[in-house]
């Protein structure tokens, strides 16, 4: 059985950087990756229009100045193929592939209390042993199975946005898309350009802000790169982990005219700039409604059919309480003659027939059904693997009432196991590249400390974990996040406990807490 200092699960951006850092510590490591290449979510998500919703120059590694200076981004928001090329460039530049085992899925991991290490079993039967186990499995990596009645009756082609074929041509086809989260909102405009007819089945309308995407001018990119150190510091000391100007004004302190001017300015800046701008947007219902109504007015002004526009206007949750979407021509797509919208709350899916969907009111013929139904977020990948700690206790059983992890990094009862962007950390509420780098660097610092001080067992304290879980919940309770049935709460997965999983108090606050824990000799951990 191969023995390593560290086994890392997942070769996305988290796993690749973790491998690079443990190598720098002089530790032996292997990355176990289910896919045939690096990139994580950007390897698997190849649907039309797949694009990052964080600007390219911000959604990139900062650990190597040479890397960030040499790589040229083509657009303000990079497409999936470009991000995947970047991931492959990183893997080649730092010679990472020689320590990555591709086409291998992890089935289980068990802590050996006698030897204080982990035995990791692959689905094909391969065994690995390591002192430390790092889960770099991602927050959005396990597609959510659709809960649609009699789906098996449909004889047309069924696609999931998280499992897309290499080639797909919708020309001349009747296409249905179920789901209007980020993947649906990104793919719908491109599918509509090809399809004979596209029917969008909407359960809940989501807020979306235009990306205003376009090519990055060479001069603009050079100017940004010259300021990279300043911009990276700004990101780490922000709420969101991005370098956009944030929390600059209170909506309620502005006059009507000032408010409209600021909303319009942020709308034209595009993307998350609109959400970042206001200190009270996620804490005051009155302020949030003002921002939300501005977006609704934009939707009504864009979509020509008044009834369709109203159906696309979110009204049952606060702006930003569900993951904000960033789009290119999403609302404009509903002005096309070959696109129609079905409101599933008014006309729910009754069942499937061989050649389409039957709602309560009508039968809609389809050749292809696209499921943009999202992910079992935050905990899905961790729960899918049979992880067992002290006494053979399974992590998914310990998390039966909701996940708890000290700092979102480690779980009591699971020594020498670490999670990158785990539940209880900023993760999906932040620029995830900033969150990844902070976690990897913090874990690496802990491993270096352990080596220097001859520590062989690192385990989160159960009381510290409870205190942290309470802190995370209290922070979220001050916000409007708790007022939406979002995947932040696990609400999209039937039977999943309703626990707010990300850390809502911001990247900078979280980073200071982690630094303080380390400065106090890793307070909250048992080191032996």
């Amino acid at each position: 059985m191969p023995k390593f200092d560290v086994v890392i699960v997942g070769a996305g951006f988290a796993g690749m950087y973790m491998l690079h850092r443990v190598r720098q510590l002089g530790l032996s490591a292997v990355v176990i990756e289910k896919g045939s290449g690096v990139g994580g979510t950007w390897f698997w998500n190849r649907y039309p229009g797949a694009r990052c919703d964080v600007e390219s120059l911000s959604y990139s590694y900062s650990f190597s100045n040479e890397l960030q200076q040499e790589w040229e981004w083509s657009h303000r928001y990079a497409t999936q193929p470009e991000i995947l090329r970047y991931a492959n460039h990183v893997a080649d530049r730092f010679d990472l592939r020689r320590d990555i085992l591709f086409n291998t899925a992890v089935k289980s991991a068990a802590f050996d209390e006698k030897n204080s290490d982990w035995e990791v079993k692959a689905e094909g039967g391969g065994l690995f042993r390591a002192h430390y186990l790092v889960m770099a499995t991602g927050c959005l990596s396990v597609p959510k199975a659709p809960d649609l009645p009699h789906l098996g009756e449909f004889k047309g082609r069924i696609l999931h946005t998280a499992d897309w074929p290499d080639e797909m041509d919708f020309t001349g086809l009747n296409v249905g898309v179920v789901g209007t989260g980020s993947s649906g909102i990104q793919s719908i405009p491109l599918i509509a350009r090809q399809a004979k007819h596209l029917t969008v089945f909407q359960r809940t309308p989501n807020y979306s802000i235009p990306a205003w995407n376009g090519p990055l001018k060479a001069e603009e990119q050079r100017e940004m790169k010259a300021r990279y150190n300043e911009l990276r510091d700004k990101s780490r000391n922000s709420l969101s982990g991005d370098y956009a100007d944030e929390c600059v004004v209170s909506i309620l302190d502005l006059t009507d005219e000032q408010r409209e001017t600021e909303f319009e300015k942020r709308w034209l800046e595009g993307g998350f700039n609109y959400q970042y701008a206001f200190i009270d947007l996620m804490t005051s219902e009155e302020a949030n409604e003002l921002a939300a109504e501005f977006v609704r007015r934009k939707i009504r002004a864009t979509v020509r059919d008044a009834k369709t526009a109203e159906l696309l206007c979110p009204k049952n949750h606060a702006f930003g309480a569900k993951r904000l979407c960033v789009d290119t021509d999403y609302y404009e797509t509903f002005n096309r003659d070959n696109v129609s919208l079905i409101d599933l709350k008014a006309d729910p899916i009754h069942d499937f027939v061989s050649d389409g969907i039957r709602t309560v009111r009508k039968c809609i013929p389809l050749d292809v059904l696209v499921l943009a139904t999202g992910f079992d977020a935050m905990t899905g990948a961790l729960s899918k693997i049979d992880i067992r700690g002290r006494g053979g206790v399974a992590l998914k059983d310990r998390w039966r009432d909701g996940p708890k992890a000290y700092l979102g990094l480690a779980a009591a009862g699971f020594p020498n196991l670490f999670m990158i962007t785990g539940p209880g950390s900023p993760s999906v509420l932040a620029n995830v590249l900033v969150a990844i780098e902070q976690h990897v660097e913090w874990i690496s610092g802990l491993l270096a400390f352990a080596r220097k001080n001859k520590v062989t067992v690192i385990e989160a304290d159960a009381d510290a974990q409870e205190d942290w879980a309470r802190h995370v919940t209290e922070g979220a309770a001050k916000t409007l996040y708790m007022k939406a049935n979002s995947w932040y709460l696990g609400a999209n997965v039937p039977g999943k406990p309703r626990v707010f999983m990300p850390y809502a108090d911001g990247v900078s606050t979280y980073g200071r807490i982690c630094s303080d824990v380390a400065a106090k000799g890793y307070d909250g951990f048992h080191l032996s």
Side-chain angles (χ1 to χ4, degrees):
M1 183 189 309
K3 175 70 184 288
F4 301 92
D5 294 315
V6 186
V7 163
I8 302 162
V9 182
F13 284 108
M16 288 197 296
Y17 187 35
M18 192 75 235
L19 173 60
H20 179 65
R21 290 295 298 226
V22 297
R23 278 183 181 174
Q24 291 180 323
L25 294 176
L27 300 175
S28 62
V30 65
V31 179
I32 304 175
E33 167 58 44
K34 179 181 178 181
S36 60
V38 299
T41 189
W42 301 108
F43 175 86
W44 294 106
N45 287 269
R46 301 169 182 240
Y47 58 85
R51 186 184 296 275
C52 189
D53 56 12
V54 177
E55 295 185 27
S56 306
L57 285 159
S58 186
Y59 191 86
S60 56
Y61 286 123
S62 68
F63 70 84
S64 165
N65 188 55
E66 292 79 8
L67 171 65
Q68 64 183 8
Q69 293 298 329
E70 72 193 15
W71 183 263
E72 297 289 326
W73 293 101
S74 69
H75 282 71
R76 180 186 180 191
Y77 292 92
T79 61
Q80 176 270 334
E82 185 169 18
I83 299 171
L84 188 58
R85 287 196 298 272
Y86 174 71
N88 278 283
H89 173 76
V90 172
D92 293 337
R93 194 187 196 286
F94 297 99
D95 189 25
L96 301 179
R97 296 180 202 277
R98 61 183 167 89
D99 291 321
I100 302 176
L101 185 62
F102 293 108
N103 300 305
T104 305
V106 172
K107 179 181 180 181
S108 64
F111 184 67
D112 181 341
E113 296 185 52
K114 180 180 179 182
N115 297 301
S116 298
D117 58 16
W118 284 88
E119 183 177 287
V120 180
K121 183 180 293 186
E123 286 188 354
L127 292 174
F128 308 84
R129 188 169 285 272
H131 193 60
Y132 299 109
L133 177 60
V134 179
M135 304 304 293
T137 46
C139 297
L140 299 171
S141 53
V142 174
K144 174 185 169 288
D147 50 342
L148 298 170
H150 307 108
L151 179 58
E153 297 297 318
F154 179 60
K155 302 307 179 186
R157 188 163 186 183
I158 300 175
L159 304 173
H160 196 291
T161 48
D163 186 19
W164 202 261
D166 291 336
E167 298 290 338
M168 185 64 216
D169 186 357
F170 294 103
T171 302
L173 300 178
N174 291 314
V175 183
V177 175
V178 176
T180 52
S182 288
S183 56
I185 281 175
Q186 288 182 338
S187 61
I188 283 167
L190 293 183
I191 294 173
R193 293 177 197 172
Q194 284 189 341
K196 177 182 177 182
H197 192 89
L198 171 63
T199 304
V200 178
F201 297 88
Q202 174 186 271
R203 301 185 195 194
T204 304
N206 279 306
Y207 294 97
S208 188
I209 304 293
W212 308 118
N213 195 36
L216 270 174
K217 296 178 181 178
E219 182 179 351
E220 178 186 4
Q221 192 159 181
R222 281 196 301 272
E223 289 176 356
M224 296 285 282
K225 286 185 174 184
R227 300 172 53 217
Y228 244 146
N229 289 339
E230 170 198 340
L231 295 174
R232 300 297 195 184
D233 285 343
K234 186 177 181 180
S235 297
R236 296 185 191 99
N237 290 297
S238 69
L239 179 71
S240 62
D242 205 350
Y243 50 62
D245 290 330
E246 62 182 24
C247 298
V248 292
V249 292
S250 163
I251 295 174
L252 298 179
D253 287 344
L254 301 175
T255 65
D256 291 348
E257 184 178 350
Q258 289 172 330
R259 186 180 303 130
E260 197 71 11
T261 299
E262 189 65 28
F263 285 156
E264 186 68 27
K265 172 178 176 288
R266 291 291 176 152
W267 178 269
L268 293 175
E269 288 176 350
F272 282 94
N273 290 284
Y274 189 88
Q275 185 172 357
Y276 295 162
F278 311 102
I279 58 176
D280 47 359
L281 192 148
M282 293 308 300
T283 56
S284 164
E285 290 189 14
E286 182 183 357
N288 188 283
E289 177 58 24
L290 290 167
E293 184 55 28
F294 177 87
V295 176
R296 294 187 203 112
R297 292 203 306 271
K298 289 291 187 182
I299 296 170
R300 294 173 185 130
T302 302
V303 181
R304 290 193 291 265
D305 181 76
K307 181 180 179 182
T308 301
E310 214 54 41
L311 291 175
L312 289 166
C313 288
K315 295 170 187 156
N316 72 340
H317 64 278
F319 177 89
K322 291 188 174 186
R323 173 76 177 189
L324 182 64
C325 299
V326 179
D327 76 270
T328 298
D329 295 333
Y330 175 63
Y331 295 114
E332 291 83 350
T333 297
F334 291 92
N335 292 328
R336 297 177 63 100
D337 292 336
N338 71 326
V339 176
S340 55
L341 178 67
I342 299 293
D343 175 16
L344 291 179
K345 289 186 175 175
D347 188 15
I349 293 173
H350 181 271
D351 60 9
F352 283 81
V353 292
S354 62
D355 60 350
I357 288 179
R358 188 160 54 199
T359 67
V360 170
R361 297 176 182 170
K362 66 180 87 170
C363 191
I364 300 161
L366 296 176
D367 301 301
V368 181
L369 178 67
V370 175
L371 301 173
T373 49
F375 300 88
D376 183 352
M378 303 289 293
T379 59
L382 294 168
S383 298
K384 194 173 182 181
I385 298 170
D386 185 13
I387 301 172
R388 295 185 178 267
R390 291 193 185 278
V393 174
L395 181 66
K396 59 185 175 184
D397 290 339
R398 187 63 62 84
W399 284 0
R400 193 178 302 279
D401 297 323
K404 292 180 181 178
Y406 181 45
L407 303 177
L409 281 159
F414 297 82
N416 294 355
L417 180 144
F418 303 99
M419 295 165 265
I420 300 176
T421 62
S425 72
S427 60
V428 294
L429 293 185
N431 174 356
V432 76
L433 257 293
V434 171
I436 283 170
E437 286 193 320
Q438 188 270 339
H439 264 194
V440 168
E441 290 160 11
W442 194 91
I443 293 168
S444 300
L446 175 52
L447 299 189
F449 177 89
R451 195 178 198 185
K452 180 180 178 181
N453 292 279
K454 296 181 171 55
V455 170
T456 59
V457 179
I458 304 167
E459 183 176 355
D461 175 74
D463 290 337
Q465 180 172 278
E466 287 296 322
D467 289 343
W468 182 253
R470 189 160 43 250
H471 173 63
V472 171
T473 300
E474 289 170 354
K478 299 173 187 174
T479 73
L480 301 178
Y481 286 117
M482 300 297 286
K483 294 183 178 293
N485 289 322
S486 71
W487 54 258
Y488 296 146
L489 283 151
N492 65 319
V493 178
K496 193 169 183 176
R498 299 293 181 93
V499 174
F500 192 80
M501 293 178 281
Y503 182 75
D505 284 348
V507 166
S508 57
T509 300
Y510 176 82
R512 285 194 296 271
I513 292 171
C514 288
S515 295
D516 187 53
V517 166
K520 292 178 179 177
Y522 296 95
D523 187 34
F525 286 90
H526 294 295
L527 308 177
S528 59

